[in-house]
Structures are given as structure tokens and as C-alpha cells.
């Protein structure tokens, strides 16, 4: 199965103006991670809540139980492996920082005179004799964000592969206040051309409301009798 990678640089924090924004950026990163973990944990709970060990109350437990192989039979091994790998590498550090900047101090930063990188320090996250020092906090933030996005893509790709190829109604978009839809079945590779247009039955009779994408949409061409999909438009 070919995977379409998420752009891990999307939303990357620029270095210009970073001194002013770095402490706040940790809180923004914390909020973003919390939102992503909530969706991730909620999805796993919704699809596997009958499996032993699956819960929807603790993010740490979600990862830790995967690492300790405490999920019962029926829990996807590739999903467990991905969660365990995260728990054994980047997740504990990110969870620790997220907890502190959410419920405690956000820390401080300065620009290193030699490297010109933004250095982040936090007294509550270090040891008894030394505070936490991140020599390039912008790189750290962007790397942590990439870790989270990659994990989500890996797990959702694994869950997607288990769906039956049953056509379901999805929204293509909105135009002039109306909803345009198609039916799409799960497949290894999905694109803008996948599926079969179902809105053509009404917008073909509503002058001025024709789908603006119909001339280049494989789903529309596939749905209208006598108009086969153009080459390269897909055939799902």
C-alpha cells in the first residue's frame, strides 16, 4: 500500500520572531498534541473498545499499555507497535513538557550569541542541580510536531486498511450554499477522482448550481452515463 506522507513542515515555526514566541509556542504545541491525542485515543476506543485494556481516560495509559503488551487479543499489532515505539522514544519527553507548560510555568528563552539559535530553559523540568536546557527549541518543536503527525498517519493508515470496501457517502464540498456529495469505497489509494458523484442527479437540473469541478472530476465522469472517466482519473 502506497502511503501519502503528511507534510511535517506544515505549520513549522519560523525562526524570525521566535524569541518572543517560543514559550507560547510550547503551549500551542501542547494544545495541538492534546487535540491530536484525543482524536487518536477516541478513534482507537471507538473501534476497539471491546478489547481488553482499551480505555479513553488516560493518554499515558494508551501508550504505556501498548509498550507493556497489555492489550488483549483483537488489538491490531501494527497499531500496538507504533504506540510502543513512540512510548520508547519521544512520547515521555513530550508528555512531561506538555504537562508542565500546561499546568505550571512556561519557561524562558534567549538567543545564543554564537549560534543565533533560540535556547529554551525551564527550571521545573530539569534535575535538582540543573534546569532543562534545549539548545535549539525551534528545531525541537518542529521535530515533536513531526513525530505526532507521523504517528497519527501510521495508525490511521493501519485502521483504514481494515475497512471493508463499502461505498459511503462523503461531502465533496460546498458551493453557493449547497452540499455536493459522492459515494466512495475504501481503497489503498484514494484521490480527488475516486468514487462516484451522487449530486449530479439534482445539480444537473438546477441551472447555475452545476458543480464547478465537474469537467475535471473523475467521480462525476464515472457517474454520468456515456461519460467514462478520463485517463488518469482513477477507477475506484
Amino acid at each position: 500500500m502506497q502511503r501519502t506522507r503528511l507534510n511535517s513542515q506544515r505549520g513549522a515555526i519560523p525562526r524570525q520572531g521566535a524569541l518572543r514566541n517560543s514559550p507560547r509556542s510550547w503551549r500551542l504545541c501542547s494544545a495541538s498534541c492534546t487535540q491530536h491525542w484525543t482524536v487518536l485515543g477516541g478513534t482507537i476506543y471507538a473501534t476497539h473498545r471491546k478489547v481488553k485494556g482499551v480505555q479513553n481516560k488516560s493518554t499515558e495509559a494508551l501508550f504505556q499499555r501498548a509498550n507493556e503488551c497489555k492489550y488483549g487479543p483483537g488489538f491490531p499489532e501494527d497499531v500496538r507497535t507504533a504506540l510502543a515505539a513512540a512510548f520508547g522514544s519521544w512520547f515521555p519527553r513530550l508528555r512531561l513538557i506538555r504537562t508542565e507548560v500546561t499546568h505550571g510555568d512556561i519557561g524562558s528563552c534567549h538567543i545564543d550569541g554564537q549560534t543565533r539559535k533560540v535556547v529554551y530553559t525551564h527550571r521545573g523540568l530539569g534535575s535538582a542541580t540543573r534546569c532543562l536546557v534545549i539548545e535549539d527549541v525551534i528545531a525541537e518543536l518542529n521535530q515533536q510536531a513531526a513525530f505526532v503527525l507521523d504517528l497519527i498517519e501510521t495508525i490511521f493508515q493501519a485502521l483504514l486498511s481494515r475497512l471493508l470496501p463499502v461505498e459511503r457517502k462523503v461531502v465533496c464540498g460546498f458551493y453557493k450554499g449547497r452540499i455536493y456529495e459522492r459515494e466512495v469505497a475504501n481503497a489503498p489509494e484514494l484521490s480527488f477522482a475516486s468514487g462516484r458523484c451522487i449530486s449530479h442527479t439534482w445539480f444537473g437540473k438546477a441551472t447555475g448550481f452545476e458543480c464547478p469541478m465537474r469537467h475535471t472530476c473523475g467521480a462525476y465522469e464515472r457517474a454520468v452515463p456515456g461519460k467514462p472517466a478520463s485517463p488518469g482519473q482513477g477507477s475506484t
Side-chain angles (χ1 to χ4, degrees):
M1 178 181 297
Q2 182 180 358
R3 297 180 59 192
T4 302
R5 283 285 175 187
L6 291 172
N7 182 2
S8 62
Q9 297 301 316
R10 181 178 56 191
I13 300 171
R15 296 185 181 277
Q16 183 178 4
L19 178 60
R20 181 182 71 252
N21 296 325
S22 290
R24 290 184 179 180
S25 296
W26 271 120
R27 280 194 170 173
L28 290 174
C29 182
S30 169
S32 176
C33 290
T34 299
Q35 180 182 21
H36 282 36
W37 291 340
T38 299
V39 172
L40 184 61
T43 301
I44 292 176
Y45 179 76
T47 55
H48 296 85
R49 58 181 174 272
K50 295 182 179 181
V51 176
K52 179 183 177 181
V54 174
Q55 49 81 48
N56 195 28
K57 296 181 179 180
S58 169
T59 301
E60 182 179 9
L62 171 69
F63 287 79
Q64 187 170 2
R65 291 180 183 181
N67 184 63
E68 297 175 353
C69 298
K70 289 188 175 180
Y71 288 119
F75 194 85
E77 179 60 20
D78 46 1
V79 173
R80 188 203 66 79
T81 301
L83 291 171
F87 187 84
S89 53
W90 55 265
F91 173 75
R93 176 181 174 87
L94 181 57
R95 182 187 65 83
L96 182 65
I97 295 175
R98 187 204 72 82
T99 300
E100 180 62 27
V101 299
T102 300
H103 303 291
D105 188 20
I106 62 174
S108 60
C109 60
H110 67 274
I111 295 180
D112 185 279
Q114 294 182 340
T115 65
R116 306 306 298 170
K117 295 179 180 179
V118 180
V119 181
Y120 176 81
T121 59
H122 198 298
R123 295 181 179 179
L125 289 172
S127 64
T129 58
R130 189 173 186 273
C131 66
L132 170 71
V133 178
I134 300 177
E135 299 294 344
D136 188 350
V137 70
I138 305 305
E140 171 91 5
L141 284 165
N142 290 331
Q143 181 61 76
Q144 293 289 1
F147 284 147
V148 173
L149 290 175
D150 187 67
L151 174 66
I152 289 175
E153 182 184 358
T154 298
I155 291 179
F156 273 80
Q157 193 74 24
L159 296 177
L160 176 66
S161 68
R162 290 170 168 80
L163 293 179
L164 295 175
V166 177
E167 282 194 335
R168 299 180 184 277
K169 185 185 298 184
V170 298
V171 175
C172 301
F174 299 84
Y175 180 62
K176 293 185 177 181
R178 298 196 179 187
I179 300 175
Y180 293 73
E181 300 172 300
R182 71 178 71 188
E183 287 187 339
V184 184
N186 174 46
E189 295 183 20
L190 295 175
S191 70
F192 175 76
S194 300
R196 178 171 50 84
C197 176
I198 58 176
S199 293
H200 75 92
T201 56
W202 64 261
F203 72 64
K205 305 174 184 178
T207 304
F209 288 93
E210 297 89 347
C211 175
M213 307 299 295
R214 65 190 184 281
H215 297 302
T216 58
C217 177
Y220 173 75
E221 294 180 342
R222 193 170 298 109
V224 178
K227 290 195 63 178
S230 300
Q233 291 291 319
S235 59
T236 55

